[in-house]
Amino acid sequence: MKSIPENQIIRADSIEFMRSMPEESVDMVFADPPYNLQLAGELYRPNNSRVAGVDDAWDQFDDFDAYDRLTRDWLAAARRVLKPNGTLWVIGSYHNIFRVGTALQNIGFWILNDVVWVKSNPMPNFKGRRFTNAHETLIWCAKSQKSKYTFNYEAMKALNDDLQMRSDWTLPLCTGEERIKGADGKKAHPTQKPESLLYRTIVAATDPGDLILDPFSGSGTTSAVAKKLGRRYIGIDQDAGYVKLARKRLAEIPEASDAEAIQHTRPKRKEPRVPFGTLVENGLLAPGTMLTSPCRRHTAKVRADGTIISADHKGSIHQVGAAVQGAPSCNGWTYWQVASDARKAVPLDVLRQKFRTEAAL
Amino acid sequence: MKSIPENQIIRADSIEFMRSMPEESVDMVFADPPYNLQLAGELYRPNNSRVAGVDDAWDQFDDFDAYDRLTRDWLAAARRVLKPNGTLWVIGSYHNIFRVGTALQNIGFWILNDVVWVKSNPMPNFKGRRFTNAHETLIWCAKSQKSKYTFNYEAMKALNDDLQMRSDWTLPLCTGEERIKGADGKKAHPTQKPESLLYRTIVAATDPGDLILDPFSGSGTTSAVAKKLGRRYIGIDQDAGYVKLARKRLAEIPEASDAEAIQHTRPKRKEPRVPFGTLVENGLLAPGTMLTSPCRRHTAKVRADGTIISADHKGSIHQVGAAVQGAPSCNGWTYWQVASDARKAVPLDVLRQKFRTEAAL
DNA sequence: AGGACTATTGAATCCTCCA
DNA sequence: GTGGAGGATTCAATAGTCC
């Protein structure tokens, strides 16, 4: 039995390498496996620029069966090297995450949470044919139902302004300075994850000194954050280019000192935006309700999609408000009123405030 | 073959009943299947009050196999009754959603989006051993990859203050007035969904008059919202008590009578087509008129047959627009402008809209 | 220096009709 | 089924340029 090569990025076949490792030696696994995107043709933005899709060979599979076989194999190998109280994280999208989740349940992993990474700046849906794909899903699971896993509840609560950390995490994509570029100035890895995401998973589920394994190391984000947080790490990747990239990245990170362990993102809270349509959806205002202007000079009817329609105009509450007044702009929230009972009308803004209060309960 | 019993809540075994229905008769299915929650023992709040868990008999399964069999059966039956261009929604949590997602992919459903319902007021995690479970997952899928499904993009955008609707929906739980109580004052159904959630799925994926099927009707929220929005509905449930509850609920909802209110914003794609040549024929644009590109860099002359000719290219407004820019494609309606008077130029699209309005009179 | 404007880009299953 | 043509479609953030 070999000793474990710690704090390294290793070029190898992940499954083979994990099988060569001593069993029950790892505290946490973070895995970002291929998503099996199945992209067909090319995609262009409305300005005719081409979207750089993930068409790498490592994301190509003949069918679901082929993908499922790979999934079962790496999950089984990872489970073997995991300590009895260890946990595993996997990230994916709707293309693959259901298959991964099913496979890990079948193998005996015990799901603790699914967590959604809500992207604050996702790529839009350019053709307007679906909802903007604005999130990815992480599954957090223990080796077995009886695992006494690590969960740093207080640390998570502290990270979240003293409120329990929830299963939805709003974080930005990895862009700008943080995104590693190649010699050509283009992104060096197609799917580099933000450090903030790894930061939260590692702080939540490990203690300093724990050993973290990433079988799909890629640009090395998991190992980089592990090193910054004083955890031990092993990154494995098949691709020699990515291994070289990650080794360079890791070499530039100084050994963890206390001061550095507390930087990074804090979630910012702000009053949630409430689209007018939300009031309609939530029944505070039924489709067909009549709105009136302050002096009762104009009226408009609420439609099911949150637009309103007056005698001559239709559109948002702001657009129609501006149009009926012949004004360049209008705050529909304060302009339009709705009769709460026979006598008195209240501005829409009152309903919005009511909704915010109720939703927060 | 039986005719479809519309606008009813039916007490039946869902799978058997769907098998008895004519195939390809339903526009949308919304399903909230049993979650297979594996609650070990009871769950108590810190103040020792008991949390009413989901421990009804219909939620117990021997193992994953039994759950998977049920899932495959109801999905197959639902797929059979779906029209070729129909879509299906399923909601679930991490306990079951991965199995449901895998099963529907295996059957041939084509996933369009996964959507996370982010709960603005979730139940806290009382033990502090996991992240607050603050979301549920919906899968939206078409009957097949080639389905020409309905997605009311403009209506969704209108509901979200003129930004694309994203895959994360923040909505409150079903509480307060909306939550149906039994004679004992307790909640009448353990997993009643908020109407706002159904509202958004139905407005997104159906048109008024479409037929919506819910094979796990429960408290009848799907049918209730369908009725309010002027859609046809069928709800099926095994449990006579829930059927009675839902029938009473539906009886109290008036028919949707205001056609204007339930109508959503009409997509541009559905506007009647107007060939460019029609404008020339109808004298809105004389042969010989000069068109200019936005920055006046390119010009082209209108010819009698509705083609245009620039310095180097001739063809349709789209073809020449693309050619002069060296772009793969171009929407000539918005690219080319025509000088209405000496000062200002307007896009051809304005003339088209004018023509459509006049033609409709 | 600072504000205004432009260009770029991100795990994407991204059009539809008609001949 | 396939090919060609009409024509519909984007949000947030960062970096760079111009004035």
Side-chain angles (χ1 to χ4, degrees), chain A residues 35 38 45 94 123 127 129-130 179 187:
Chain A
Y35 286 9
Q38 309 170 65
R45 299 185 179 83
Y94 67 82
M123 184 162 75
K127 304 293 187 189
R129 295 299 297 144
R130 302 180 178 194
R179 189 87 192 213
K187 57 188 176 189

Side-chain angles (χ1 to χ4, degrees), chain B residues 25-309:
Chain B
S25 53
V26 168
D27 294 287
M28 181 185 120
V29 173
F30 185 96
D32 182 10
Y35 278 26
N36 194 30
L37 290 181
Q38 294 142 1
L39 296 182
E42 305 288 2
L43 185 60
Y44 289 85
R45 295 193 179 89
N47 66 4
N48 281 331
S49 62
R50 195 175 79 85
V51 174
V54 178
D55 54 2
D56 299 20
W58 51 260
D59 199 55
Q60 305 303 322
F61 292 94
D62 292 335
D63 48 28
F64 287 133
D65 266 353
Y67 190 80
D68 291 345
R69 271 196 301 277
L70 170 75
T71 301
R72 279 195 299 269
D73 285 349
W74 78 254
L75 279 170
R79 189 159 186 266
R80 184 185 147 274
V81 299
L82 255 191
K83 292 181 184 174
N85 294 333
T87 62
L88 170 129
W89 292 85
V90 202
I91 184 168
S93 67
Y94 66 80
H95 305 89
N96 70 325
I97 197 65
F98 304 118
R99 315 203 75 86
V100 173
T102 299
L104 62 84
Q105 283 183 313
N106 288 347
I107 287 181
F109 280 105
W110 186 248
I111 298 182
L112 300 169
N113 279 110
D114 61 337
V115 169
V116 285
W117 168 27
V118 176
K119 301 175 184 181
S120 52
N121 50 350
M123 182 162 64
N125 183 293
F126 296 109
K127 304 282 189 187
R129 293 296 297 140
R130 301 180 183 195
F131 299 98
T132 301
N133 205 344
H135 75 277
E136 293 186 30
T137 301
L138 298 103
I139 300 175
W140 181 43
C141 53
K143 181 164 183 171
S144 76
Q145 183 172 0
K146 60 181 197 300
S147 298
K148 303 210 174 298
Y149 56 90
T150 297
F151 177 53
N152 294 311
Y153 174 77
E154 293 79 6
M156 287 295 101
K157 196 170 172 177
L159 269 179
N160 194 36
D161 276 357
D162 277 334
L163 290 176
Q164 288 190 335
M165 187 67 82
R166 303 166 32 122
S167 58
D168 57 310
W169 300 355
T170 302
L171 297 169
L173 293 170
C174 180
T175 57
E177 284 285 297
E178 188 184 331
R179 190 84 195 220
I180 300 174
K181 311 292 192 305
D184 56 358
K186 307 280 185 192
K187 56 191 178 188
H189 190 277
T191 65
Q192 183 182 347
K193 295 292 176 290
E195 295 200 1
S196 57
L197 186 72
L198 274 298
Y199 189 101
R200 198 174 286 184
T201 62
I202 290 173
V203 172
T206 66
D207 293 314
D210 279 359
L211 179 59
I212 298 170
L213 170 72
D214 185 339
F216 305 98
S217 167
S219 62
T221 306
T222 303
S223 301
V225 179
K227 185 172 181 182
K228 289 182 182 180
L229 286 170
R231 274 70 170 173
R232 296 174 297 139
Y233 59 87
I234 303 174
I236 314 172
D237 207 289
Q238 179 92 277
D239 185 289
Y242 292 150
V243 169
K244 190 176 167 190
L245 185 77
R247 284 179 180 161
K248 178 163 176 292
R249 180 179 182 182
L250 267 294
E252 290 167 0
I253 298 170
E255 297 291 331
S257 55
D258 190 338
E260 192 176 53
I262 60 172
Q263 190 55 248
H264 48 71
T265 304
R266 180 179 2 194
K268 259 196 188 168
R269 288 181 170 90
K270 295 276 175 69
E271 291 283 321
R273 188 124 162 194
V274 178
F276 177 65
T278 304
L279 299 189
V280 182
E281 287 175 340
N282 283 269
L284 279 83
L285 213 55
T289 305
M290 293 306 294
L291 306 179
T292 57
S293 64
C295 310
R296 313 277 170 123
R297 289 196 38 210
H298 304 288
T299 60
K301 183 189 288 185
V302 175
R303 302 203 296 179
D305 63 356
T307 60
I308 66 175
I309 180 164

Side-chain angles (χ1 to χ4, degrees), chain A residues 105-142:
Chain A
Q105 284 183 314
N106 288 347
I107 288 181
F109 280 105
W110 184 249
I111 299 182
L112 300 168
N113 279 110
D114 59 337
V115 169
V116 285
W117 168 27
V118 175
K119 301 177 183 182
S120 54
N121 51 348
M123 184 162 75
N125 184 289
F126 296 115
K127 304 293 187 189
R129 295 299 297 144
R130 302 180 178 194
F131 299 100
T132 306
N133 198 354
H135 75 277
E136 294 187 23
T137 300
L138 299 104
I139 301 175
W140 181 43
C141 53

Side-chain angles (χ1 to χ4, degrees), chain B residues 307-319:
Chain B
T307 60
I308 66 175
I309 180 164
S310 71
D312 300 315
H313 307 278
K314 61 184 171 185
S316 72
I317 52 174
H318 314 295
Q319 290 166 339

